[in-house]
Amino acid sequence: MNGMASDHNTSSQEEYLPHYLQKEDPFASKLSREADIVAGFYLTVIGILSTLGNGYVIFMSSKRKKKLRPAEIMTVNLAVCDLGISVVGKPFSIISFFSHRWVFGWMGCRWYGWAGFFFGCGSLITMTAVSLDRYLKICHLSYGTWLKRHHAFICLAIIWAYATFWATVPFAGVGSYAPEPFGTSCTLDWWLAQASVAGQAFILSILFFCLLFPTAVIVFSYVKIILKVKSSTKEVAHYDTRIQNSHILEMKLTKVAMLICAGFLIAWIPYAVVSVWSAFGQPDSVPIQFSVVPTLLAKSAAMYNPIIYQVIDCKFACCRSGGLKTLQKESSLRKSR
């Protein structure tokens, strides 16, 4: 009986054809022309705001590049990833939505899928590194004394190598990139999991190393930070003003990292859920009109971070000015005494 069941599963996997092989033209849009135009305008606005915002962050950081701290270097790397998604990826999808079909063929599809996965993975792994940095900085104070700029650059090299490896693995014959069910965008070939056990192993590896494990590290880091802050608030109150101001600035930077991670995960988790359902659920059970919404939401993730930077920068400026005034008052009192 078990043998018959396994033979049946194998035969069903072999018989399954993904959506891009069921029709002669996998790149024809499955949406209405009006829906494609709306999606095209939406991505145009997102792309412009993301490009200007992240470009501004990189430009302002370049003016003080020699003074950037390790945590700020990681933040710039996140802006580079977001800018890469906006500049390299979004024009392909915008043109295709307005054209009512994917117009760049299979080579363009594979390039677009690779670029989106590469920069998306780079963003998530960068945020994972930032969360670990915040965790060690807040929960293990001795860590901050030995962390130098060259450690941050070593971390960047590891991040880019990690993203390059996982984005390029599909080209080695293990996986592939394929058009989305709605036809005007491309992504990782999640539907390989419906075709073979090897495809399932590939998709599970991608999910674990490029989504579940980084997300678990991020959640662990910020949960530990929250617990640590609750237990150490009274202790910090007994320190002098300079240590208190330093603690406030560190917590502001931690809040920035938490907001960035939350925005990224909120944007990408619906897309990940739909992708996993496409890979392991009933074949073609996700409605085409439903699958396009998480895709558009995920593409907006690169726009949030510059907004968060600017909002928190205002608070940083206030915090710095407040700390400076306090130190000036202390020095004047000492002189008067």
Side-chain angles (χ1 to χ4, degrees), residues 98-120:
F98 282 125
S99 301
H100 197 49
R101 62 173 289 109
W102 180 262
V103 297
F104 302 100
W106 277 103
M107 287 296 294
C109 181
R110 294 187 180 99
W111 159 252
Y112 178 85
W114 180 90
F117 188 35
F118 172 72
F119 287 114

Side-chain angles (χ1 to χ4, degrees), residues 73-273:
I73 293 173
M74 304 302 293
T75 302
V76 173
N77 188 66
L78 185 59
V80 171
C81 291
D82 291 339
L83 184 64
I85 292 175
S86 302
V87 174
V88 176
K90 283 188 173 60
F92 286 81
S93 54
I94 291 172
I95 293 172
S96 297
F97 273 115
F98 282 125
S99 301
H100 197 49
R101 62 173 289 109
W102 180 262
V103 297
F104 302 100
W106 277 103
M107 287 296 294
C109 181
R110 294 187 180 99
W111 159 252
Y112 178 85
W114 180 90
F117 188 35
F118 172 72
F119 287 114
C121 182
S123 295
L124 183 57
I125 303 305
T126 300
M127 285 185 285
T128 305
V130 170
S131 68
L132 279 175
D133 172 77
R134 293 292 87 206
Y135 163 70
L136 294 172
K137 185 73 174 180
I138 301 298
C139 300
H140 301 277
L141 299 179
S142 60
Y143 160 82
T145 60
W146 65 265
L147 182 68
K148 305 299 180 183
R149 282 168 57 94
H150 69 271
H151 292 115
F153 290 114
I154 293 173
C155 187
L156 291 185
I158 295 173
I159 290 170
W160 288 111
Y162 192 92
T164 301
F165 173 79
W166 286 108
T168 310
V169 161
F171 293 130
V174 180
S176 182
Y177 294 100
E180 299 267 16
F182 50 88
T184 47
S185 181
C186 293
T187 184
L188 194 70
D189 193 348
W190 300 99
W191 302 271
L192 286 174
Q194 299 280 357
S196 66
V197 175
Q200 292 177 357
F202 167 71
I203 295 300
L204 287 173
S205 299
I206 290 291
L207 286 173
F208 178 79
F209 289 105
C210 300
L211 179 62
L212 297 179
F213 178 68
T215 302
V217 173
I218 291 171
V219 172
F220 167 81
S221 299
Y222 290 124
V223 168
K224 295 292 286 185
I225 288 172
I226 291 171
L227 295 176
K228 180 66 175 180
V229 169
K230 285 185 177 180
S231 64
S232 63
T233 302
K234 295 181 180 179
E235 297 176 8
V236 174
H238 297 292
Y239 296 152
D240 61 31
T241 305
R242 183 173 298 178
I243 295 178
Q244 288 180 6
N245 289 333
S246 176
H247 179 75
I248 291 172
L249 290 175
E250 290 295 340
M251 291 311 304
K252 291 290 185 183
L253 190 57
T254 302
K255 289 178 181 179
V256 173
M258 292 178 70
L259 287 173
I260 290 172
C261 292
F264 184 90
L265 294 176
I266 290 171
W268 278 96
I269 282 178
Y271 179 79
V273 170

Side-chain angles (χ1 to χ4, degrees), residues 34 95 299:
E34 292 76 13
I95 293 172
K299 293 179 186 298

Side-chain angles (χ1 to χ4, degrees), residues 4 13 23 51 54 61 64 81-82 128 135 169 198 213 218 243 258 271 286 292 302 309 317 328:
M4 293 177 62
Q13 287 179 340
K23 299 180 180 180
T51 301
N54 289 291
S61 300
R64 50 185 294 267
C81 291
D82 291 339
T128 305
Y135 163 70
V169 161
F213 178 68
I218 291 171
I243 295 178
M258 292 178 70
Y271 179 79
V286 179
V292 71
Y309 301 149
Q328 288 174 347

